[in-house]
Amino acid sequence: MREAGAGDSKTLLLIDDDPNLTLLVKDYLEFRGYSVLVANNGQEGLDVLDQTMPDMIICDVMMPELDGYAFVQRVRENPRTNWIPILFLSAKGQSADRVKGLSTGADVYMVKPFEPEELVAQVESSLKAASRLREHPTGRLEEGPTIQVPFDVSLTPTELKVVQLVARGMANREIAEQMNVSQRTIESHVSNMLGKTGLHNRTELSRWAIENNMA
């Protein structure tokens, strides 16, 4: 019997070339109420996206034909799909691998093997964050004039990733856990961005990022 819950009416695209893992993850997610589409590699994943629009993508990194990094880049470059939250599943668990995955454009990086409950928790968290963004179609978190910052502000790749997660409504602690760094490091990045932009708080930073299509 399928377990009803937060997954009802949500469609996930699962991309992995390991048939055993694909079957296990698909069965578990469907049991939790999600509808799951399956692709064996990044190219097949792009073909699926040409036909339908999932609420989230779960993607392996190392795959034939088109690997996870190249797939995510293609998804992020396409205005039609660049909003879709993406979760990377990978056997590569070094800090450099996590940083590369997140910098490429993934929202979450999980290392195999993983606990199914943790996967579901990450999926639900990502879907809630995406839903919060869709509730503000004008790209503004609150009423008010467009945020003004110096025209020559330049963010580092890490700062850009941090501000994207800030704009998704994530706390510094959550961002630190996702990027596998200390909370103090994230606080330092946020402080640096506030200094660069002349903004006063995380709310203004979020609005600025969304209004300038950074998130």
Side-chain angles (χ1 to χ4, degrees):
M1 178 181 295
R2 193 187 74 168
E3 180 178 289
D8 286 341
S9 79
K10 297 294 185 182
T11 299
L12 311 179
L13 171 57
L14 173 62
I15 308 173
D16 200 300
D17 62 333
D18 182 341
N20 293 323
L21 184 142
T22 297
L23 181 62
L24 289 173
V25 172
K26 182 176 186 292
D27 284 351
Y28 196 86
L29 291 171
E30 287 182 340
F31 177 74
R32 295 300 296 263
Y34 295 97
S35 174
V36 182
L37 305 173
V38 173
N40 295 317
N41 56 62
Q43 185 56 56
E44 287 188 13
L46 292 177
D47 294 340
V48 172
L49 291 178
D50 285 339
Q51 304 298 321
T52 188
M53 190 64 61
D55 295 285
M56 183 172 178
I57 298 169
I58 301 172
C59 182
D60 188 19
V61 173
M62 306 308 295
M63 298 181 292
E65 294 193 44
L66 189 71
D67 67 15
Y69 297 128
F71 170 79
V72 169
Q73 287 177 338
R74 296 276 291 276
V75 171
R76 292 296 181 235
E77 290 169 357
N78 187 341
R80 176 176 168 270
T81 60
N82 62 13
W83 61 271
I84 302 175
I86 299 175
L87 184 153
F88 259 154
L89 292 178
S90 176
K92 303 174 69 174
Q94 297 297 317
S95 178
D97 300 316
R98 294 176 181 270
V99 170
K100 182 178 180 180
L102 295 170
S103 298
T104 300
D107 299 285
V108 182
Y109 191 104
M110 289 186 63
V111 179
K112 303 174 184 177
F114 53 86
E115 292 294 331
E117 286 295 334
E118 182 184 0
L119 175 62
V120 171
Q122 292 284 11
V123 167
E124 292 179 352
S125 175
S126 296
L127 289 171
K128 288 177 182 177
S131 178
R132 285 196 295 268
L133 285 181
R134 287 198 295 271
E135 288 173 359
H136 303 281
T138 62
R140 300 191 178 182
L141 299 181
E142 59 185 40
E143 293 299 323
T146 301
I147 293 289
Q148 299 293 329
V149 302
F151 72 92
D152 58 348
V153 169
S154 177
L155 302 183
T156 67
T158 301
E159 288 173 343
L160 182 59
K161 182 61 185 180
V162 170
V163 80
Q164 288 171 343
L165 297 177
V166 168
R168 289 180 179 273
M170 295 178 65
N172 288 343
R173 175 184 55 79
E174 296 173 309
I175 297 173
E177 291 175 355
Q178 181 160 316
M179 296 185 67
N180 198 32
V181 298
S182 70
Q183 183 172 331
R184 184 178 297 274
T185 297
I186 299 302
E187 291 170 351
S188 177
H189 285 309
V190 172
S191 177
N192 287 341
M193 287 188 285
L194 291 176
K196 286 181 178 182
T197 59
L199 300 175
H200 301 94
N201 51 51
R202 293 170 97 258
T203 299
E204 289 188 354
L205 195 62
S206 296
R207 285 184 54 198
W208 172 67
I210 292 174
E211 289 173 357
N212 287 274
N213 298 317
M214 297 179 187

